[in-house]
């Protein structure tokens, strides 16, 4: 059995909120995202000897999570999807405040973006990774990430009926995703 490294344990535990948010942005399902985070932490713990101290632990963890997600997606190709959202619509509670309505509209618009644009926007806008770190996580060039983020922001502005970034509401999720670094 591998000896417990208290520093690595603390770092992994501290990364859970960011991993959960990223996993949810990919899966849009709380149970699946929690399973994905759990599997990411297990892999990171068992492969902790492959992590290079002094490098970006979050980027390493996000790369593991992303790879697990896409591996899972390939396995799930034969499963029935809820493409029209009927089942998901039955589970949703109607928002009762303006901020919840705005957040719901934002989430709906975000979910219509292509996966690669949504992923780039969440990494840069909501998780505060640099373009370089996001590019490393996604395995693409920095310019590709910048382009994806720009297109995603432009599409969200269009989908939400805004004239530009100045029309953004006050909730933190929307502000983070739409703000320019």
């Amino acid at each position: 059995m591998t000896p417990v490294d208290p520093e690595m344990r603390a770092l992994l535990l501290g990364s859970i909120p960011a991993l959960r948010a990223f996993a949810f942005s990919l899966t849009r399902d709380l149970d699946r995202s929690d399973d994905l985070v759990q599997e990411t932490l297990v892999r990171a713990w068992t492969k902790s000897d492959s992590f290079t101290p002094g490098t970006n632990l979050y980027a390493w963890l996000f790369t593991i999570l992303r790879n697990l997600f896409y591996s899972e997606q390939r396995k799930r190709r034969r499963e029935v999807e809820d493409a029209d959202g009927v089942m998901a619509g039955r589970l949703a509670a109607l928002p009762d405040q303006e901020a919840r309505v705005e957040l719901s509209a934002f989430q709906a618009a975000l979910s219509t973006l292509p996966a690669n644009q949504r992923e780039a926007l969440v990494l840069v806008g909501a998780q505060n990774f640099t373009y370089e770190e996001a590019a490393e996580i996604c395995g693409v060039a920095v310019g590709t990430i910048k382009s994806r983020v720009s297109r995603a922001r432009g599409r969200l502005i269009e989908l939400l009926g805004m004239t530009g970034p100045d029309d953004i509401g006050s909730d933190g999720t929307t502000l983070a995703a739409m703000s320019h670094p």
Side-chain angles (χ1 to χ4, degrees):
M1 180 165 210
T2 306
V4 175
D5 178 357
E7 182 181 359
M8 178 60 90
R9 182 179 186 274
L11 290 171
L12 291 176
L13 289 175
S15 70
I16 291 173
L19 289 171
R20 287 186 80 207
F22 184 52
F24 185 76
S25 76
L26 294 173
T27 65
R28 295 184 295 278
D29 178 283
L30 284 175
D31 291 332
R32 280 184 63 205
S33 62
D34 283 344
D35 291 345
L36 193 56
V37 169
Q38 181 178 356
E39 182 63 24
T40 299
L41 293 173
V42 168
R43 288 254 175 111
W45 186 257
T46 59
K47 303 289 184 187
S48 63
D49 57 328
S50 68
F51 174 70
T52 306
T55 60
N56 188 335
L57 177 71
Y58 273 21
W60 184 64
L61 291 171
F62 274 62
T63 301
I64 293 170
L65 189 144
R66 181 179 181 273
N67 290 343
L68 285 169
F69 171 74
Y70 285 115
S71 292
E72 180 183 291
Q73 286 296 97
R74 285 188 294 274
K75 291 177 187 175
R76 291 181 177 248
R77 283 195 179 140
R78 293 189 177 123
E79 290 185 12
V80 176
E81 290 186 26
D82 184 21
D84 57 0
V86 171
M87 292 175 61
R90 282 188 246 152
L91 299 174
L94 296 174
D96 56 355
Q97 299 175 23
E98 185 176 332
R100 288 184 62 166
V101 171
E102 289 176 0
L103 180 58
S104 179
F106 174 77
Q107 288 172 327
L110 185 65
S111 71
T112 67
L113 295 177
N116 62 2
Q117 289 180 14
R118 185 175 56 249
E119 176 181 69
L121 186 63
V122 167
L123 288 172
V124 172
Q127 296 296 331
N128 294 317
F129 281 104
T130 64
Y131 287 120
E132 291 77 13
E133 291 167 335
E136 183 180 328
I137 290 168
C138 295
V140 297
V142 174
T144 301
I145 287 293
K146 288 181 178 181
S147 177
R148 288 176 182 175
V149 168
S150 178
R151 285 193 307 268
R153 286 180 175 145
R155 183 69 180 137
L156 283 178
I157 287 169
E158 179 184 316
L159 288 169
L160 296 172
M162 300 175 172
T163 57
D166 296 334
D167 290 346
I168 296 172
S170 59
D171 71 275
T173 304
T174 305
L175 289 173
M178 297 296 289
S179 65
H180 293 278

